[in-house]
Amino acid sequence: MSSPYSLIRFLFFIMLIGVLVGGSFFYQNNKAEQKEVESERILPKEEVKKHNSFFVDPSVVELIVSQAPNCLSDEVEPKLIKGGIANHHLLASELVSGFFCRVASRETKRVIVLAPNHFGLGGGWVIGGANNWSIGEQELFSDKEGMEKLSSSGVAIADDGIFTKEHGIGNLMPAVKHFFPEAKVVTLVIKEKIPTDRQEKLISALKEFSDDQTMIIASLDFSHDLSLEEANAKDEQTLPILSGLDYGKISELNQSSEASNVDSPATLNIFLRVMADLGATDFELLGRGNSALISGQLEARQTTSYFTAVYSLKK
């Protein structure tokens, strides 16, 4: 029969093993969580000298350009077009090229791109980037003066770190560079729950920026995570809002996570408000599509739909 001391030593040994195993598990789990947090950390400005576009594959860039040849040699009253909506889901690359071909201009000196803050990163409601963009061997220059004006007036904060992940901006930068060869870019991402007063400040600033040499682009995809039939029904609700600049009805759309009409109602509202206030009410639908139709997967349960359009001053 074992002595009481032997039993105590045995129990102590079991407890020690438990502590060591549990501690090791906690350390590994905590280390993994810390690594995940670090991967989401916004890079300090000094670490980010230049952005890389997500859309740098030469074959994809060539595809976009080849789909829209000679656009710059045939400009059609570019000063009348004040802005437009382009998709950032590059499965629909033909829609991207068609949009940019329609608005292409050597006369444009500033392009402002508005996009959803898809991941909610950064410490401001509106966040802009001041760094230039690397696009293969080319460079797209940021409008640093414009960004400084937005920052100093409290409209936006500059935080280049978040743009390392923001596809709503990065996916369109090569097209901006190619179709607006003389332009600098202002990139702004907008958090979805932006308060009304902050929206008003941004709208006022965008109207002030707008002139004959400025193009405002809303980078938006539309219905998400629905079947083709369901997405088409949502798009039929959305199209009259786009064509009529009926921004007051955006809030009436069903924006549940399972049935969204647009990936950023706030961005759409701000853009349509600016177009309406500028008098750019002449709506031209350029393209419409759905990922199911493009991919041929008609039975897909989760699709994304697209609209591309321009808004012009009345002739």
Side-chain angles (χ1 to χ4, degrees), residues 99-172:
F99 168 81
F100 277 96
C101 189
R102 179 68 179 88
V103 298
S105 174
R106 296 186 188 278
E107 297 181 23
T108 299
K109 303 304 180 186
R110 176 194 288 137
V111 176
I112 301 173
V113 183
L114 311 174
N117 188 332
H118 282 94
F119 307 107
L121 298 178
W125 293 108
V126 182
I127 301 176
N131 289 340
N132 298 336
W133 289 82
S134 290
I135 302 166
E137 297 181 355
Q138 295 183 310
E139 188 167 3
L140 172 60
F141 291 98
S142 170
D143 180 1
K144 292 178 172 56
E145 182 179 342
M147 188 60 231
E148 174 59 30
K149 186 175 182 179
L150 291 170
S151 180
S152 62
S153 62
V155 173
I157 67 169
D159 188 345
D160 286 281
I162 73 164
F163 289 93
T164 60
K165 291 188 174 184
E166 186 47 70
H167 59 283
I169 296 293
N171 281 2
L172 296 188

Side-chain angles (χ1 to χ4, degrees), residues 16-193:
L16 180 61
I17 291 176
V19 169
L20 291 174
V21 172
S24 175
F25 175 79
F26 174 80
Y27 172 77
Q28 293 296 333
N29 190 51
N30 187 57
K31 186 176 180 181
E33 290 180 358
Q34 182 179 3
K35 185 175 182 180
E36 182 177 349
V37 169
E38 288 178 351
S39 70
E40 295 293 331
R41 178 175 58 89
I42 296 173
L43 297 175
K45 293 178 184 177
E46 61 269 21
E47 292 183 31
V48 184
K49 300 302 182 184
K50 192 181 295 184
H51 303 298
N52 287 314
S53 172
F54 295 87
F55 183 29
V56 294
D57 183 339
S59 63
V60 180
V61 176
E62 184 178 347
L63 175 63
I64 292 289
V65 174
S66 67
Q67 289 171 343
N70 304 319
C71 299
L72 288 166
S73 63
D74 189 25
E75 296 182 14
V76 181
E77 299 177 318
K79 292 182 180 180
L80 291 177
I81 301 175
K82 307 306 291 182
I85 296 172
N87 55 290
H88 51 251
H89 191 189
L90 296 181
L91 174 66
S93 60
E94 289 189 13
L95 293 179
V96 175
S97 62
F99 168 81
F100 277 96
C101 189
R102 179 68 179 88
V103 298
S105 174
R106 296 186 188 278
E107 297 181 23
T108 299
K109 303 304 180 186
R110 176 194 288 137
V111 176
I112 301 173
V113 183
L114 311 174
N117 188 332
H118 282 94
F119 307 107
L121 298 178
W125 293 108
V126 182
I127 301 176
N131 289 340
N132 298 336
W133 289 82
S134 290
I135 302 166
E137 297 181 355
Q138 295 183 310
E139 188 167 3
L140 172 60
F141 291 98
S142 170
D143 180 1
K144 292 178 172 56
E145 182 179 342
M147 188 60 231
E148 174 59 30
K149 186 175 182 179
L150 291 170
S151 180
S152 62
S153 62
V155 173
I157 67 169
D159 188 345
D160 286 281
I162 73 164
F163 289 93
T164 60
K165 291 188 174 184
E166 186 47 70
H167 59 283
I169 296 293
N171 281 2
L172 296 188
M173 292 301 98
V176 172
K177 175 63 179 176
H178 178 77
F179 293 101
F180 298 100
E182 306 300 325
K184 294 182 179 180
V185 66
V186 176
T187 53
L188 298 171
V189 293
I190 301 164
K191 288 184 177 177
E192 192 50 45
K193 294 183 179 180

Side-chain angles (χ1 to χ4, degrees), residues 128-267:
N131 289 340
N132 298 336
W133 289 82
S134 290
I135 302 166
E137 297 181 355
Q138 295 183 310
E139 188 167 3
L140 172 60
F141 291 98
S142 170
D143 180 1
K144 292 178 172 56
E145 182 179 342
M147 188 60 231
E148 174 59 30
K149 186 175 182 179
L150 291 170
S151 180
S152 62
S153 62
V155 173
I157 67 169
D159 188 345
D160 286 281
I162 73 164
F163 289 93
T164 60
K165 291 188 174 184
E166 186 47 70
H167 59 283
I169 296 293
N171 281 2
L172 296 188
M173 292 301 98
V176 172
K177 175 63 179 176
H178 178 77
F179 293 101
F180 298 100
E182 306 300 325
K184 294 182 179 180
V185 66
V186 176
T187 53
L188 298 171
V189 293
I190 301 164
K191 288 184 177 177
E192 192 50 45
K193 294 183 179 180
I194 178 174
T196 301
D197 63 322
R198 300 306 297 268
Q199 291 192 42
E200 294 298 331
K201 289 187 70 172
L202 177 55
I203 289 167
S204 295
L206 292 173
K207 290 191 295 183
E208 185 178 341
F209 270 63
S210 182
D211 56 30
D212 288 345
Q213 295 181 319
T214 297
M215 179 68 59
I216 302 174
I217 297 173
S219 172
L220 293 168
D221 293 330
F222 285 82
S223 63
H224 279 62
D225 302 327
L226 301 170
S227 69
L228 178 59
E229 182 179 0
E230 293 167 332
N232 286 339
K234 289 289 182 184
D235 293 344
E236 287 302 314
Q237 296 173 347
T238 304
L239 184 55
I241 292 175
L242 301 181
S243 61
L245 289 85
D246 200 356
Y247 48 82
K249 290 187 177 179
I250 295 174
S251 60
E252 299 176 10
L253 298 175
N254 181 355
Q255 284 297 134
S256 69
S257 59
E258 296 82 16
S260 63
N261 288 69
V262 59
D263 57 5
S264 176
T267 303

Side-chain angles (χ1 to χ4, degrees), residues 239 242-245 280-285 308-312 314:
L239 184 55
L242 301 181
S243 61
L245 289 85
T281 57
D282 192 356
F283 171 80
E284 179 184 353
L285 180 65
T308 56
V310 295
Y311 294 81
S312 305
K314 295 289 186 181

